[in-house]
Amino acid sequence: MLNIQNYRKVESIEEAYELNQKKANRIVGGMMWMRMGDNRINTAIDMSGLGLDKIEETEEEFKIGCMTSLRQLENHKGFNEYTNGCAKEALRHIVGVQFRNLATVGGSIYGRYGFSDVLTLLIGLDSYVELYKGGIVSLKEYAAKSYDRDIIVSIIVKKKPVKMFYEAVRITETDLPVLTCAGVGFSGSGEYNMCIGARPGRAVVVEDKEGILKGVVNDETIESFARYVRENVSTESNMRGSAEYRSHLAEELTKRALRAVNN
C-alpha cells in the first residue's frame, strides 16, 4: 500500500529538485505504477503546475514535457505522422484509456521499466533526456544508467527522416508485453536501429555494427541481421515467456520490422 505523509505542489523545478534530494521524498506523476507497490513517502512532490504537460513541435524537434500524459502522446498528430503511426500503436495497448490519461511520459522514462512500450518506442530515434542538473543526454545512455535524484524536464526527439515499425507481443490485450520491438530506418543513410524491450529487461538498441544491411537490403540480409539480433540480445524467462521464446520473437519481429521500413 502507498502511504504518503505530506503533499507539496511545487512552484518551480528548483523547489522540486531540492525536495527530491531527500531519499524519503518522491516526485509523483500519474502514480499509476508507483501506487501498486508498498511505499512509504514522506513528501509527495507534485509538478503538475509547472506547465510541463505539453508537446512542442518545431521544424527540428519534438519536445515532450515530463508531465505529458501517454494519451497526449498517443494522439499527437505530428508525432504520429513522424513515427508512421507507431506512437499510437505502441501506446494504445497500455492498460486502458483511463490509465493513459494519467500516466506520464516522464514517469515512464524515469522508471526505465523492462516492460515499457514507451522506452522501446523512443530509444531508437534520435532521442534525448533533458535533466534539470545533468543537462541533455541521449536516451540510450540514460536508459543504461542507475537511478539518481535528478529530475527529467523533457524528452527531446530530433527530427531525422525515418521510417518506423512497432509491434509488441502480448498474451492478452492490455497485459504487459512478452516482447516489444521497434525498428527504425534512417532514410538515405542506410542506418538501422532495432530496439528490443520486455526481454524482460530494459529496452536495448541493436545497431548494425557489422554492416550486414549496408548496400542492398533483401531477404538474405534481413535473415542475416535478424539472426544477429537474436544472438546479441540477452533474454530471460518469467511467467510470460521463456528466454528461448523471447529470442525467437526478437528474430521474427526484426524480420517484420526490416521488411516494413524498406517497403
Side-chain angles (χ1 to χ4, degrees):
M1 184 177 74
L2 186 64
N3 188 313
I4 297 174
Q5 301 299 302
N6 302 287
Y7 165 81
R8 179 81 68 86
K9 187 172 184 178
V10 297
E11 297 181 359
S12 68
I13 301 178
E14 178 64 27
E15 182 185 359
Y17 178 82
E18 292 298 329
L19 286 169
N20 196 47
Q21 298 317 294
K22 294 183 179 179
K23 191 174 181 179
N25 297 349
R26 295 281 295 277
I27 291 174
V28 296
M31 297 177 60
M32 304 312 293
W33 299 119
M34 185 185 296
R35 66 185 175 83
M36 295 182 182
D38 291 324
N39 292 299
R40 182 181 177 86
I41 298 173
N42 181 33
T43 300
I45 306 163
D46 180 0
M47 295 171 54
S48 64
L50 302 183
L52 298 172
D53 58 346
K54 300 177 178 62
I55 302 173
E56 301 175 29
E57 180 181 0
T58 67
E59 291 184 2
E60 293 79 30
E61 66 185 25
F62 294 94
K63 189 170 186 178
I64 305 164
C66 63
M67 296 297 291
T68 300
S69 73
L70 301 189
R71 184 67 171 165
Q72 285 175 267
L73 188 61
E74 175 187 359
N75 288 331
H76 192 274
K77 182 180 178 181
F79 197 66
N80 268 295
E81 288 178 352
Y82 178 69
T83 61
N84 308 126
C86 289
K88 181 175 286 293
E89 176 59 29
L91 300 177
R92 70 185 180 91
H93 301 283
I94 300 175
V95 186
V97 171
Q98 297 92 333
F99 185 101
R100 300 194 299 277
N101 275 331
L102 294 173
T104 63
V105 176
S108 298
I109 295 301
Y110 177 80
R112 285 161 278 192
Y113 305 112
F115 55 78
S116 176
D117 291 273
V118 185
L119 183 57
T120 309
L121 170 72
L122 296 176
I123 197 171
L125 296 168
D126 191 16
S127 301
Y128 302 84
V129 177
E130 180 188 0
L131 300 168
Y132 181 57
K133 293 294 184 180
I136 296 175
V137 299
S138 74
L139 179 54
K140 186 165 65 171
E141 177 186 341
Y142 183 78
K145 290 174 60 176
S146 300
Y147 296 105
D148 59 25
R149 310 302 293 184
D150 208 344
I151 293 175
I152 294 177
V153 178
S154 65
I155 310 300
I156 299 168
V157 179
K158 298 290 185 180
K159 285 184 174 178
K160 288 184 175 179
V162 296
K163 290 196 70 175
M164 195 170 183
F165 165 93
Y166 191 91
E167 186 170 347
V169 173
R170 285 171 161 82
I171 297 172
T172 59
E173 185 72 16
T174 75
D175 190 12
L176 297 181
V178 179
L179 194 89
T180 56
C181 174
V184 181
F186 293 93
S187 303
S189 69
E191 296 179 4
Y192 298 87
N193 282 341
M194 200 58 53
C195 317
I196 306 295
R199 308 173 292 111
R202 297 175 185 178
V204 294
V205 179
V206 183
E207 299 174 352
D208 184 17
K209 292 183 177 180
E210 296 190 359
I212 297 169
L213 299 171
K214 290 293 183 182
V216 178
V217 179
N218 53 30
D219 287 343
E220 182 180 351
T221 56
I222 287 173
E223 293 278 347
S224 181
F225 186 68
R227 287 193 298 271
Y228 177 79
V229 169
R230 178 172 185 152
E231 292 165 0
N232 286 276
V233 171
S234 62
T235 59
E236 297 178 7
S237 301
N238 67 4
M239 63 183 289
R240 289 183 173 80
S242 67
E244 182 180 2
Y245 179 50
R246 284 188 162 97
S247 293
H248 169 74
L249 288 177
E251 182 176 5
E252 293 304 312
L253 292 182
T254 294
K255 294 177 190 176
R256 292 186 193 179
L258 289 174
R259 287 170 183 146
V261 300
N262 284 283
N263 189 3

